[in-house]
Amino acid sequence: MPTVLITGTSTGFGLVTTVELAKRGWNVIATMRDLGKRAELDRAVAAANVQNLVSVEQLDVTDPKSIDTAVARLDTQGRPLDAVVHNAGVAVGGAFEDLSDAHIRRVMEVNYFGVLALTQKLLPGFRARRRGRILIVSSESAFAGQPANSPYCASKWAVEGWAESVAYELAPFGIDIILIEPGAYRTNIWESSPRVLPETSAYRPLLRHLEVTIDAYVAKLARDPGEVAKAIANALDAPRPRFRTAVGPTAKFMHFARGKLPSRTVRKLFGRFFALQKVRW
């Protein structure tokens, strides 16, 4: 049975991917920063009757000691990994000028530096076995900038640039890098992400408009996260996985637009989609 470690499994993509992979016969090490939030995962695992294939462990990808402890635990338990799924992610909504340094750095620490730090500790084991899969849950936000979402977009652009580069280095060792890029899906990132909207903000008209528009968009068009879990599982099961897979109609369109349309045209399309012409400054 292959073994996979997944980060950020208390909710969302991480939770449903844990269940999907266990149902397919993977041994899953489901990790999360706060084990006090494991109840929803435990219920889903029990409902799928895969308790014997899932272990839940603590891991904070922004804490070097937590990473070292988790990797050492794998070694002492004799549990070599076949794959890692980097799913842990955070966001913050707001105009860049209004965001604190702490908000911006938090997004980059989790979404970018956390991926690098954990991967670096796992690579010696993958190299020794001359195989392994490093799958990163990216986003359609890696294809084009989005208003009031600049730190998140930047983190996804950064991790994709890193992935494209390190793929050259790891290929000779039989290690695959895989990017899964979802569009809008029903996960708690929409509710859990802080929204910075100061009363005195010069960008307040835009932010108020986006708050209403994006919430309506998510409520109407966000899709079942199980689609993303299946895409992740299919990539890990594939004999020769694709490097990049866009999941969902909006992500597929943005994947196409990134290579075919000028940035100015993409911004105009975004502006029309979110009705930015209706903002009254």
Side-chain angles (χ1 to χ4, degrees):
M1 285 185 183
T3 299
V4 58
L5 184 149
I6 308 175
T7 65
T9 62
S10 60
T11 60
F13 295 143
L15 188 154
V16 294
T17 299
T18 295
V19 174
E20 180 68 26
L21 284 171
K23 287 165 64 176
R24 296 191 186 199
W26 284 73
N27 284 313
V28 181
I29 303 169
T31 72
M32 59 187 71
R33 183 176 62 87
D34 181 1
L35 290 178
K37 297 181 179 180
R38 64 179 288 173
E40 185 179 353
L41 174 65
D42 287 339
R43 287 192 293 269
V45 168
N49 195 29
V50 291
Q51 299 97 314
N52 61 318
L53 292 174
V54 177
S55 61
V56 183
E57 300 183 7
Q58 195 277 337
L59 173 59
D60 181 349
V61 298
T62 68
D63 182 352
K65 291 184 179 179
S66 178
I67 293 174
D68 286 344
T69 299
V71 174
R73 191 160 51 235
L74 292 174
D75 293 339
T76 57
Q77 294 174 352
R79 302 179 73 180
L81 286 183
D82 297 278
V84 59
V85 175
H86 291 289
N87 168 73
V90 296
V92 58
F96 169 70
E97 188 177 346
D98 296 334
L99 300 178
S100 69
D101 185 66
H103 277 134
I104 296 168
R105 289 184 180 276
R106 173 64 178 167
V107 173
M108 294 301 296
E109 287 292 342
V110 176
N111 299 1
Y112 177 64
F113 289 111
V115 171
L116 273 59
L118 178 56
T119 299
Q120 200 165 49
K121 294 296 184 178
L122 295 176
L123 281 178
F126 286 146
R127 281 193 299 100
R129 294 185 294 278
R130 300 193 72 83
R131 61 183 175 85
R133 291 190 169 171
I134 301 165
L135 188 148
I136 302 161
V137 180
S138 181
S139 170
E140 68 177 4
S141 300
F143 302 148
Q146 299 171 353
N149 200 25
S150 60
Y152 186 80
C153 291
S155 71
K156 296 303 183 181
W157 287 35
V159 81
E160 292 219 354
W162 170 81
E164 289 189 0
S165 301
V166 79
Y168 290 102
E169 303 165 18
L170 301 183
F173 298 99
I175 303 170
D176 295 312
I177 300 286
I178 303 166
L179 293 168
I180 299 294
E181 301 154 327
Y185 282 85
R186 293 191 300 274
T187 71
N188 76 330
I189 195 169
W190 304 102
E191 292 79 29
S192 63
S193 299
R195 300 185 184 189
V196 180
L197 185 57
E199 290 288 342
T200 58
S201 174
Y203 307 93
R204 191 169 180 80
L206 171 65
L207 298 175
R208 289 296 299 273
H209 173 82
L210 286 171
E211 189 172 43
V212 173
T213 305
I214 292 175
D215 283 349
Y217 163 69
V218 171
K220 182 179 180 180
L221 296 176
R223 300 167 67 88
D224 181 354
E227 294 180 1
V228 178
K230 287 182 171 59
I232 292 171
N234 290 342
L236 293 182
D237 284 338
R240 297 183 63 185
R242 296 173 60 185
F243 174 73
R244 176 178 277 113
T245 299
V247 187
T250 57
K252 290 176 181 177
F253 172 76
M254 292 308 301
H255 185 274
F256 163 82
R258 184 177 72 163
K260 302 295 183 181
L261 301 177
S263 294
R264 182 175 295 180
T265 301
V266 173
R267 286 200 299 272
K268 286 182 178 179
L269 291 172
F270 256 110
R272 292 174 183 173
F273 186 81
F274 291 113
L276 298 186
Q277 73 277 6
K278 295 183 179 180
V279 178
R280 296 293 177 258
W281 292 91

